[in-house]
């Protein structure tokens, strides 16, 4: 496939949302402000204001992993449910207090409706089923997802009613909008890479790919004519000859599959159409002409396994936590095509939203003694996960200020105290945000504040870039090129300097130009100790219910073994051990809250 190019006068974006666990609230806040700024700009352009930049920014693709995958799925619903920004958080006290708190899918799903106490419920373990799907109750996630799908379907149904008023869709989303959700495929997809060899037998190398993805194309996201269905994509809201392909269940199913945190949250079965693999583009051979079509490699499957390919999944962030490549190829047209990087010619860019970039962590991890077998075994899995996520070249581009095809939005909180973190959700391996809604509300607002600063100071192109050169020249002539169009940069003593050589790609209109104020660092009102004491009965009930079902399964599995493994299972069944596990869990929660000044 030859390289593709955006339409004239259009700058294309690919949004990439990294895994985040409960810090999905931060990612949701970033998107909330991004869409608010784009909406405000569109209002001015539709009004025919000659002093407003008239180029176009269009989001062509969105990719996400884990919590970022859920946010990605929600973003595809906003054109139908409409976006209602939550811009009054600095004036409210409770999660449901904002004016648009219940209307905003991003806020409602990530701040108001997720609750740790519901995750400790035991209804998922009741009844005749003895299977433990996860340590925490994942039904709350199903409930939130089901409510979002019901709302988007109701909105689409209302639009199609006879006599319904026409709806103005945002022009900043491509039609269709492509979505890519990372999946950790526990079954694996087999490939046969053929090679030249002597003798008989299989001539090639067999391997399995576990880093998988689901690909969707959401139609009707703007009012213009839609493009064709991308190869390998599952259509969503697609009217083909009077037959509508709904697709929302498949999309939400993939989003729950990518967010299935290993062991903690429920793993999911998934069905991928074989076309996802048949249409996947691979890099061309060295020396191939630029107009040579990028190759595809079909998986090595039996005919009866072709449609659909079924497998169990767990957290998509396990193997691909920052799925940059999917969105990048959607913009460039081929894996080995580079998007223009120079500020004077850049016409598309990847925007990575990463709540946990860990750029302030230790330079080198502790060198622990791994001489014994047990230590070695328990170090292997984290090592494999870290290596699978190691993408130095891709992430370095997002941090390089001379590269205008890749950008990063990550948490930055001014004035934080030494023991505090940028995100309230960052403790307990990212699960801390589920403990209290004030933590998620804080992180949502920080996402909005960081996004505003990013649009003002970083997402920019040179004034000579053809996409903006026309209106820049016109506004200069009219004396209307103001600091609200140009980029500002931080200089000494906390002051800003206007950089007149660059202009904002998404100009901040007056309604979104007033500084978004971050919320004060949250604190649980009655302190960490009392908070954990209130949680303890629910933690105990969940632990007892899980062990009650896990132990018989392990006993059955080890029934033929009267040795050490049977002894370990019996030890797990002891009430004394369960009490110790509960003590460790409650201490860890309380210690995290106190250490970071949250309670």
């Amino acid at each position: 496939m030859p390289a593709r190019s955006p339409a004239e006068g259009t700058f294309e974006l690919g949004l990439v949302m990294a895994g985040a666990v409960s810090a999905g609230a931060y990612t949701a806040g970033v998107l909330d402000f991004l869409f608010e700024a784009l909406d405000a700009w569109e209002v001015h352009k539709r009004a025919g204001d000659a002093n407003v930049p008239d180029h176009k920014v269009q989001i062509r693709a969105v990719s996400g992993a884990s919590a970022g995958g859920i946010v990605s799925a929600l973003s595809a619903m906003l054109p139908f449910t409409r976006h209602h920004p939550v811009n009054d958080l600095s004036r409210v006290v409770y999660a449901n207090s904002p004016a648009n708190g219940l209307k905003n899918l991003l806020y409602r799903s990530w701040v108001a409706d997720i609750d740790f106490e519901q995750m400790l419920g035991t209804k998922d373990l009741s009844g005749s089923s003895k299977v433990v799907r996860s340590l925490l109750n994942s039904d709350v996630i199903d409930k939130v997802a089901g409510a979002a799908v019901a709302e988007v379907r109701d909105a689409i149904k209302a639009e199609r009613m006879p006599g319904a008023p026409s709806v103005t869709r945002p022009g900043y989303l491509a039609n269709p909008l492509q979505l890519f959700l990372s999946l950790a495929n526990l079954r694996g997809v087999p490939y046969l890479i053929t090679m030249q060899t002597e003798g008989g037998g299989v001539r090639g190398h067999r391997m399995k790919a576990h880093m998988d993805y689901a690909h969707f194309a959401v139609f009707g996201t703007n009012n213009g004519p839609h493009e064709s269905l991308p190869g390998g994509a599952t259509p969503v809201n697609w009217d083909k000859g009077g037959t509508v392909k709904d697709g929302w269940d498949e999309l939400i199913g993939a989003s729950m599959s990518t967010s299935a945190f290993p062991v903690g949250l429920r793993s999911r079965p998934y069905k991928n159409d074989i076309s996802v693999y048949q249409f996947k583009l691979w890099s061309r051979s060295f020396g191939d002409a630029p107009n040579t079509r990028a190759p595809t490699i079909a998986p090595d499957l039996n005919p009866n396994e072709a449609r659909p390919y079924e497998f169990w999944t767990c957290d998509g962030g396990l193997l691909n936590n920052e799925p940059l490549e999917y969105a990048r190829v959607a913009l460039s047209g081929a894996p080995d095509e580079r998007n223009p990087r120079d500020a004077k010619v850049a016409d598309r860019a990847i925007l990575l939203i990463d709540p946990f970039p860990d750029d302030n962590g230790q330079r080198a991890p502790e060198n622990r003694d791994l001489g014994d077998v047990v230590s070695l075994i328990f170090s292997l899995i984290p090592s494999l996960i870290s290596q699978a996520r190691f993408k130095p070249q891709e992430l370095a581009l997002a941090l390089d200020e001379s590269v205008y095809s890749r950008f990063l939005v990550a948490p930055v909180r001014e004035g934080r105290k030494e023991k505090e973190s940028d995100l309230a959700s960052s403790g307990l391996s990212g699960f801390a945000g589920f403990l209290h809604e004030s933590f998620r509300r804080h992180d949502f607002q920080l996402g909005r504040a960081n996004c505003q600063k990013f649009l003002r100071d970083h997402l920019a192109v040179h004034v000579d870039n053809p996409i903006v050169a026309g209106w820049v020249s016109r506004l200069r002539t009219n004396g209307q090129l103001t600091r609200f169009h140009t980029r500002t940069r931080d200089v000494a003593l906390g002051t800003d300097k206007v950089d007149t050589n660059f202009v904002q790609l998404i100009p901040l209109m007056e309604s979104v130009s007033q500084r978004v104020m971050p919320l004060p660092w949250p604190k649980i009102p009655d302190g960490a100790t009392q908070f954990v004491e209130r949680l303890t009965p629910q933690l105990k009930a969940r632990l007892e219910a899980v062990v009650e079902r896990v132990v018989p399964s392990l006993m059955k599995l080890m029934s033929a073994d009267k040795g050490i493994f049977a002894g370990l299972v019996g030890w797990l069944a002891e009430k004394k051990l369960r009490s110790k596990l509960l003590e460790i869990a409650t201490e860890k929660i309380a210690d995290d809250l106190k250490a970071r000044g949250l309670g």
Side-chain angles (χ1 to χ4, degrees), residues 29-93:
V30 172
L31 282 195
D32 189 58
F33 187 87
L34 175 65
F35 290 146
E36 182 182 12
L38 286 164
D39 283 333
W41 182 26
E42 287 218 337
V43 167
H44 282 268
K45 286 199 288 187
R46 285 198 295 268
D49 189 340
N51 293 326
V52 171
D54 57 7
H55 68 284
K56 189 173 184 178
V57 169
Q58 188 169 76
I59 300 169
R60 171 162 290 272
V62 179
S63 64
S66 192
I70 294 181
V71 181
S72 298
L74 294 173
S75 70
M77 299 178 181
L78 297 181
F80 308 99
T81 62
R82 298 179 59 193
H83 181 54
H84 306 274
V86 175
N87 49 22
D88 57 348
L89 278 181
S90 60
R91 302 188 297 275
V92 304
V93 178

Side-chain angles (χ1 to χ4, degrees), residues 263 340 352:
V263 182
L352 170 62

Side-chain angles (χ1 to χ4, degrees), residues 493-533:
L493 302 179
T495 58
D496 295 332
K497 178 182 179 181
V498 177
D499 186 350
T500 57
N501 290 319
F502 288 81
V503 290
Q504 299 166 3
L505 266 173
I506 300 176
L508 295 179
M509 297 293 101
E510 185 177 357
S511 62
V512 292
S513 63
Q514 185 174 353
R515 186 188 176 196
V516 175
M517 298 300 298
L519 299 180
W521 189 239
K523 292 182 182 294
I524 296 176
D526 51 0
T529 301
Q530 291 188 38
F531 175 76
V532 173
E533 286 177 355

